[in-house]
């Protein structure tokens, strides 16, 4: 067995961190699109997500049909995932109408302990002390952002803070359920199947919800370029986000995804600085550095952890190869089966 790569040079660490920041930037862009729509008086959170689900269904559904790939997971599980995902998006966006941005930023961190608990119970994920330290450092970085907002006296409370805060808590828990369920599906099935079915059911559920809750809002909206372009920008960013998330879930897991999304607020600050030439508090930069350090600590793997992972993968491949060879047929000579198994086991360790 080849020795594991040096602990700081493992490729999945850098890939996970890079993809995490990519989706964080995408979330930042969706936030700016939503802000522009809200500034123009368009408050239709479900309608914003509809085009994203349609794109997912068309692109990945087309790939699924082209490959003639049968579903490996029952359709009604995807229906449940679609409901949870649509309502999580709706509830969190709705919360901004009742409470402040500062409160949403702080309470949204509730998704992280929810994800850790769910993955520990249902996915049997093991968390060492180093990973918990990484989580604490990341959350501390976000708390610094909140203190920065307080320091800058940017605290618009909103018309009903308690209702908004409860919305954020509920939305965060739904996000956690959605992320963990998607992680399980991706590891059990394929990314194409998960995205195709999530897009199809998400589009249907969003369409039904729009016809009930947002029909009047869409009728009263003036559909000019200023309203259409943010809708399209939001949909494209969400499509890229949903397309990248399964890769992160498969490489790093749901906890790493949620930790990476914590930096979206800091990216928004950088955009405000360079694009709008706004001044921000120095705590933002300290918070960004702290959150980045927390991500590195969480994703860091020692040589012992890497060796254990490699052994687990090799063992799983050996077991799969043994099962495949055993079912090859009774008329095959035993010596050929043994040779095939040995060759497969050797290949799995290279």
């Amino acid at each position: 067995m080849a020795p594991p790569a040096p602990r700081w040079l493992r490729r999945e660490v850098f890939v996970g961190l890079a993809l995490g920041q990519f989706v964080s930037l995408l979330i930042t862009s969706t936030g700016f699109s939503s802000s522009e729509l809200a500034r123009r008086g368009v408050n239709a959170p479900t309608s914003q997500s509809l085009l994203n689900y349609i794109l997912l269904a068309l692109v990945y559904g087309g790939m699924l049909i082209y490959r003639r790939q049968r579903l490996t997971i029952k359709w009604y599980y995807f229906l449940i995932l679609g409901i949870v995902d649509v309502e999580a998006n709706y509830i969190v966006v709705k919360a901004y109408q009742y409470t402040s941005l500062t409160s949403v930023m702080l309470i949204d961190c509730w998704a992280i302990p929810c994800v850790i608990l769910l993955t520990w119970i249902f996915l049997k994920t093991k968390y060492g002390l180093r990973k918990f330290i990484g989580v604490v450092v990341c959350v501390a970085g976000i708390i610094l952002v909140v203190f920065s907002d307080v320091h800058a006296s940017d605290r618009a409370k909103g018309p009903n803070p308690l209702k908004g805060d409860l919305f954020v808590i509920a939305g965060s828990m739904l996000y956690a359920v959605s992320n963990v369920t998607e992680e399980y599906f991706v590891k059990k099935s394929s990314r194409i199947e998960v995205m195709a079915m999530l897009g199809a059911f998400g589009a249907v559920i969003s369409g039904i919800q729009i016809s009930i809750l947002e029909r009047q809002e869409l009728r009263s909206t003036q559909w000019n370029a200023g309203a259409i372009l943010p809708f399209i920008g939001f949909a494209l960013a969400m499509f890229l986000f949903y397309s990248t998330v399964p890769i992160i879930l498969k490489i790093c897991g749901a906890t790493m995804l949620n930790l990476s999304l914590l930096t979206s607020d800091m990216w928004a600050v950088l955009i405000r600085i360079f694009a709008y030439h706004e001044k921000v508090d120095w705590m933002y930069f300290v918070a960004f550095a702290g959150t980045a350090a927390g991500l590195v600590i969480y994703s860091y793997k020692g040589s012992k952890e890497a060796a254990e992972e490699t052994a687990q993968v090799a063992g799983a491949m050996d077991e799969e190869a043994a099962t495949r060879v055993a079912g090859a047929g009774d008329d095959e000579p035993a010596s050929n089966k043994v040779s095939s198994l040995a060759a497969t086991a050797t290949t799995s360790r290279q």
Side-chain angles (χ1 to χ4, degrees):
M1 183 184 300
R7 56 184 62 180
W8 284 109
L9 298 179
R10 291 178 62 81
R11 186 180 64 177
E12 63 266 25
V13 173
F14 296 101
V15 172
L17 290 172
L19 290 178
Q21 293 313 297
F22 176 65
V23 297
S24 183
L25 281 169
L26 290 174
I27 285 296
T28 303
S29 64
T30 61
F32 276 93
S33 298
S34 298
S35 299
E36 182 63 21
L37 288 172
R39 190 178 68 84
R40 295 178 178 274
V42 181
N43 295 310
T46 309
S47 301
Q48 291 179 215
S49 302
L50 175 62
L51 183 55
N52 164 55
Y53 290 120
I54 293 176
L55 288 174
L56 290 174
L58 292 177
V59 174
Y60 291 101
M63 295 172 65
L64 202 65
I65 295 173
Y66 177 77
R67 296 182 178 183
R68 297 182 180 179
Q69 181 178 335
R70 292 185 177 181
L71 296 180
T72 57
I73 299 175
K74 299 296 184 180
W75 64 268
Y76 44 82
Y77 290 120
F78 288 114
L79 172 61
I80 297 173
L81 175 61
I83 294 173
V84 172
D85 196 75
V86 169
E87 299 312 319
N89 287 327
Y90 175 82
I91 291 174
V92 172
V93 173
K94 194 75 174 176
Y96 284 96
Q97 299 180 17
Y98 301 103
T99 190
S100 66
L101 175 62
T102 301
S103 297
V104 173
M105 286 167 51
L106 179 60
I107 300 174
D108 193 53
C109 297
W110 176 244
I112 295 173
C114 291
V115 165
I116 292 177
L117 179 63
L118 291 173
T119 52
W120 179 66
I121 294 175
F122 296 104
L123 302 185
K124 308 303 180 183
T125 303
K126 297 180 180 179
Y127 294 98
L129 178 61
R130 186 189 299 116
K131 291 190 179 295
F132 281 112
I133 293 175
V135 171
V136 171
V137 174
C138 283
V139 175
I142 289 300
I143 293 175
L144 275 178
V145 174
V146 176
F147 281 129
S148 177
D149 285 339
V150 173
H151 186 255
S153 301
D154 183 17
R155 302 187 67 189
K157 285 292 186 181
N160 194 335
L162 178 59
K163 184 177 182 180
D165 293 348
L166 292 176
F167 271 18
V168 179
I169 293 174
S172 298
M173 295 175 68
L174 288 178
Y175 274 137
V177 173
S178 177
N179 291 156
V180 174
T181 304
E182 194 173 332
E183 178 182 348
Y184 175 76
F185 286 171
V186 167
K187 291 180 177 179
K188 186 177 180 180
S189 179
S190 68
R191 182 172 68 99
I192 294 176
E193 177 181 333
V194 174
M195 289 297 97
M197 300 305 293
L198 176 59
F201 283 111
V204 172
I205 296 167
S206 296
I208 296 173
Q209 187 159 303
I210 290 170
S211 65
I212 299 173
L213 300 177
E214 300 179 3
R215 184 170 50 187
Q216 186 61 37
E217 180 69 29
L218 295 178
R219 285 179 179 175
S220 60
T221 301
Q222 296 182 354
W223 294 104
N224 49 30
I228 294 176
L229 290 179
F231 254 94
I232 296 176
F234 180 91
L236 292 177
M238 286 297 286
F239 173 75
L240 292 174
F241 173 81
Y242 274 71
S243 299
T244 309
V245 160
I247 302 175
I248 301 176
L249 292 175
K250 198 163 190 176
I251 296 175
C252 308
T255 304
M256 180 64 176
L257 170 65
N258 282 272
L259 291 175
S260 298
L261 295 180
L262 292 179
T263 60
S264 60
D265 297 303
M266 273 74 94
W267 287 120
V269 170
L270 294 179
I271 292 175
R272 283 162 51 190
I273 293 173
F274 293 103
Y276 300 102
H277 305 288
E278 297 181 8
K279 293 183 179 181
V280 297
D281 196 82
W282 60 271
M283 286 187 183
Y284 273 105
F285 301 101
V286 178
F288 188 90
T291 305
L295 290 173
V296 173
I297 293 172
Y298 181 87
S299 59
Y300 174 84
K301 295 178 181 178
S303 56
K304 183 178 179 180
E305 293 172 306
E308 289 177 355
E309 285 189 2
T310 304
Q312 289 174 358
V313 172
M317 293 179 69
D318 288 348
E319 183 179 352
E320 181 182 355
T323 304
R324 186 169 59 251
V325 171
D330 295 335
D331 56 341
E332 184 180 357
S335 60
N336 289 351
K337 291 182 179 181
V338 174
S339 299
S340 175
L341 177 58
T344 307
T346 304
T347 302
S348 69
R349 287 178 168 85
Q350 292 177 351

